[in-house]
Amino acid sequence: MTERLKKIVSAIPFSEELFDVGCDHGIVGVNALLQKKAQRVVFTDVSRPSLEKARALAIKNGLHDKCEFLCGDGFCGRRAETAVIAGMGGLEISKILLKAEQLPDRLVLQPMRGVPELRLELSKNYFLERDEIFFDGKFYCLIYAERGSDSLTEQEIKYGKTNLRQKSVDFHKFLFEETVKCDKILVNGNHVPEVERRKAELDLLLANWREQ
């Protein structure tokens, strides 16, 4: 597994049944079984070839009897106790949750983009227990949420609650790289108000990180 996938699996709580939604090759779900994070995994994907690769991986690891494979969108009309959705955009994840007949009790999410919008949507029905940035060749976001609701500040929606409260090294790297991007745009005295405002915000976050 890549470090990204290891990070996702590490965030999965023990569950009797885990849904690996948009499972692709099934690596996350299979490793959840191998690490005894789940007793049973339901793999779903709109791509039948991807689902067959997940089935082959489960068979290779002697886990086929603990798996179910459903070709379709989202939860395929089923109720999930715990679900992991990784490698999709935040908007796509939100659509999957909106279509669910019954929301999962717990979610492990690794959105690729549209993260602030996803956080805002999640906060209506979930409490974000963990929301952090990590680095594996590039920066990724990892969210663990449980049913409830959350009241997020504007900065928490933008940057993630855990990042702001725990100030990890990876979050510091992320802030620094974002300031570099802003500097490149503002070089030679270019006046871009939106970028200048973001640069000022990033500089303040970096200063707060150093104080802790």
Side-chain angles (χ1 to χ4, degrees):
M1 288 197 298
T2 63
E3 289 303 314
R4 179 180 76 91
L5 295 178
K6 288 178 183 177
K7 191 85 170 178
I8 294 166
V9 174
S10 73
I12 297 173
F14 173 78
S15 307
E16 290 188 8
E17 184 175 78
L18 171 71
F19 270 65
D20 186 353
V21 178
C23 65
D24 195 22
H25 291 54
I27 296 172
V28 171
V30 166
N31 276 278
L33 286 169
L34 289 172
Q35 296 181 28
K36 302 190 184 305
K37 294 268 187 168
Q39 294 183 351
R40 185 171 182 277
V41 174
V42 179
F43 297 85
T44 79
D45 205 294
V46 294
S47 167
R48 190 168 293 279
S50 290
L51 207 60
E52 290 307 314
K53 290 176 184 177
R55 189 193 303 273
L57 184 63
I59 292 171
K60 180 181 178 181
N61 285 276
L63 298 169
H64 191 262
D65 61 331
K66 297 181 179 180
C67 302
E68 184 176 356
F69 303 88
L70 303 176
C71 188
D73 187 28
F75 304 103
C76 298
R78 298 270 292 276
R79 183 192 179 279
E81 173 192 353
T82 305
V84 56
I85 310 176
M88 298 185 194
L91 180 60
E92 191 173 1
I93 292 172
S94 294
K95 286 180 178 178
I96 288 172
L97 294 173
L98 286 170
K99 290 179 183 177
E101 294 182 12
Q102 190 170 355
L103 289 170
D105 296 328
R106 299 176 291 186
L107 291 171
V108 177
L109 307 175
Q110 193 276 291
M112 302 299 284
R113 57 193 172 276
V115 181
E117 294 82 1
L118 175 61
R119 288 182 180 122
L120 184 60
E121 190 63 35
L122 282 173
S123 66
K124 299 174 185 177
N125 296 295
Y126 287 91
F127 183 82
L128 281 66
E129 297 278 356
R130 177 178 174 188
D131 180 1
E132 64 187 45
I133 280 175
F134 68 95
F135 186 79
D136 181 23
K138 66 177 185 177
F139 292 102
Y140 296 97
C141 174
L142 181 66
I143 296 173
Y144 171 66
E146 295 186 354
R147 282 302 304 272
S149 62
D150 212 337
S151 179
L152 302 177
T153 66
E154 184 177 342
Q155 280 203 335
E156 287 172 341
I157 291 170
K158 281 185 181 181
Y159 297 103
K161 186 165 64 173
T162 306
N163 295 319
L164 293 171
R165 296 181 183 183
Q166 295 186 3
K167 303 293 193 301
S168 70
V169 172
D170 281 353
F171 182 53
H172 179 268
K173 291 179 180 177
F174 168 77
L175 293 174
F176 179 76
E177 288 198 12
E178 289 298 302
T179 62
V180 171
K181 291 177 185 178
C182 291
D183 286 336
K184 287 180 179 178
I185 296 172
L186 298 173
V187 71
N188 298 325
N190 290 336
H191 177 59
V192 186
E194 183 179 345
V195 178
E196 289 173 342
R197 286 193 293 270
R198 178 164 172 77
K199 176 68 163 55
E201 183 177 64
L202 291 166
D203 285 341
L204 181 59
L205 287 171
L206 276 170
N208 290 338
W209 189 95
R210 294 187 187 101
E211 289 175 1
Q212 290 200 348

